[in-house]
């Protein structure tokens, strides 16, 4: 079954601190993995995308890693800001069709 | 680039009425558009895939007669929730794909539409 598991389900961090979110997947055959940020009541916005051959991808204070062998990915947020408070969703796509497999998301709350 | 809009952003309706939600790709042509539903604290769930000029493909468990999808042009897809009931209250999100065809996976998401059925 094509699944995407994210952890933790939620976390609270102080402004300025770093945090790392985890994503494990069983989707196959693998095409790419994306991390999205979804603000409350808004649609997801793409942060990073990584294909099989890419190990890391950065977008400002967001850095994603991918280990295609262990089927694990992480999203690291550096020097968190209040605006980072959102749900972060790991999405994996298969190479044989167009469908996306979504993780349940990690809700990040940044407090001053 | 690759902006997708939805209208309305939120809607409240009475039980039994029908509601239409529009999804537009503003600066690109989208051969394929997708409709998702998201309940609170849950992941996005694909409802259907619509290709311009053809009938939509619905996911298992999604009633095609209740959720009518029309993809009349390369920039517009509509989702009509017919005879809405309170259990249809949800956040509906569309996405559009830059390139058409079964192997595409580049989807750009709209901002979502919050539907509340009283």
């Amino acid at each position: 079954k094509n699944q995407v598991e994210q952890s933790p389900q939620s976390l609270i961090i102080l402004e300025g601190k770093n945090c790392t979110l985890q994503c494990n997947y069983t989707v196959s055959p693998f095409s790419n993995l994306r991390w999205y940020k979804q603000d409350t009541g808004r649609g997801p916005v793409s942060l990073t995308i990584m294909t099989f051959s890419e190990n890391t991808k950065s977008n400002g204070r967001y850095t994603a890693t991918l280990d295609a062998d262990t089927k694990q990915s992480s999203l690291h947020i550096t020097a968190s800001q209040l605006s980072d408070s959102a749900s972060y969703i790991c999405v994996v796509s298969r190479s044989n069709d167009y469908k996306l497999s979504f993780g349940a998301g990690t809700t990040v709350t940044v407090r001053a | 680039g690759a902006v997708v809009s939805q209208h309305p952003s939120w809607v409240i309706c009475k039980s039994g009425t029908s509601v239409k939600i529009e999804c537009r790709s503003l600066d690109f042509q989208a051969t394929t558009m997708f409709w998702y539903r998201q309940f609170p604290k849950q992941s996005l769930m694909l409802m259907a895939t619509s290709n311009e000029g053809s009938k939509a493909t619905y996911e298992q468990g999604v009633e095609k007669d209740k959720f009518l999808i029309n993809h009349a042009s390369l920039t517009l897809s509509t989702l009509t929730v017919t005879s809405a009931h309170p259990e249809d209250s949800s956040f509906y999100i569309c996405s559009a794909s830059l390139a058409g065809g079964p192997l595409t996976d580049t989807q750009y998401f709209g901002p979502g539409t919050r539907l509340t059925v009283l």
Side-chain angles (χ1 to χ4, degrees):
Chain A
K1 186 177 180 180
N2 296 299
Q3 288 187 317
V4 179
E5 305 277 349
Q6 290 188 243
S7 63
Q9 184 176 21
S10 63
L11 65 91
I12 300 173
I13 58 174
L14 293 177
E15 187 178 15
K17 299 297 185 182
N18 305 333
C19 68
T20 300
L21 317 179
Q22 300 292 340
C23 173
N24 298 333
Y25 63 92
T26 59
V27 177
S28 182
F30 176 84
S31 173
N32 60 64
L33 184 148
R34 301 168 189 260
W35 283 94
Y36 284 88
K37 178 185 179 187
Q38 185 178 22
D39 292 311
T40 301
R42 306 292 293 174
V45 175
S46 181
L47 294 175
T48 63
I49 175 174
M50 288 179 293
T51 58
F52 184 87
S53 60
E54 295 175 295
N55 300 119
T56 185
K57 185 68 70 75
S58 291
N59 178 359
R61 294 179 295 102
Y62 301 103
T63 300
T65 65
L66 173 65
D67 186 333
D69 292 329
T70 62
K71 298 188 177 182
Q72 296 179 325
S73 176
S74 67
L75 180 69
H76 187 75
I77 305 175
T78 304
S80 62
Q81 300 177 359
L82 297 178
S83 59
D84 292 332
S85 294
S87 179
Y88 292 84
I89 305 172
C90 177
V91 183
V92 183
S93 66
R94 297 187 297 211
S95 58
N96 59 346
D97 63 22
Y98 53 80
K99 290 186 180 179
L100 306 181
S101 295
F102 291 81
T106 294
T107 301
V108 174
T109 302
V110 181
R111 290 186 175 166
Chain B
V3 178
V4 177
S5 70
Q6 282 185 240
H7 178 79
S9 55
W10 59 269
V11 56
I12 301 174
C13 69
K14 293 182 179 180
S15 185
T17 61
S18 295
V19 175
K20 179 184 284 188
I21 302 171
E22 291 185 351
C23 176
R24 294 182 184 272
S25 57
L26 299 184
D27 51 1
F28 65 98
Q29 293 185 331
T31 305
T32 306
M33 287 185 170
F34 305 82
W35 286 95
Y36 295 86
R37 181 166 52 183
Q38 186 179 32
F39 292 106
K41 299 188 184 299
Q42 292 188 25
S43 181
L44 278 73
M45 294 171 16
L46 180 65
M47 299 176 63
T49 303
S50 81
N51 292 293
E52 184 265 341
S54 62
K55 291 183 178 180
T57 301
Y58 290 81
E59 295 300 300
Q60 190 173 10
V62 178
E63 301 175 57
K64 60 181 180 181
D65 294 331
K66 181 170 184 63
F67 298 99
L68 302 179
I69 292 174
N70 183 276
H71 193 162
S73 77
L74 288 173
T75 60
L76 173 64
S77 176
T78 60
L79 168 68
T80 301
V81 183
T82 62
S83 187
H85 289 96
E87 56 266 31
D88 297 324
S89 298
S90 187
F91 193 52
Y92 291 86
I93 303 174
C94 74
S95 71
S97 182
L98 270 172
L103 296 181
T104 184
D105 58 9
T106 305
Q107 297 183 28
Y108 295 88
F109 290 88
T113 296
R114 172 73 59 192
L115 170 63
T116 302
V117 184
L118 303 178

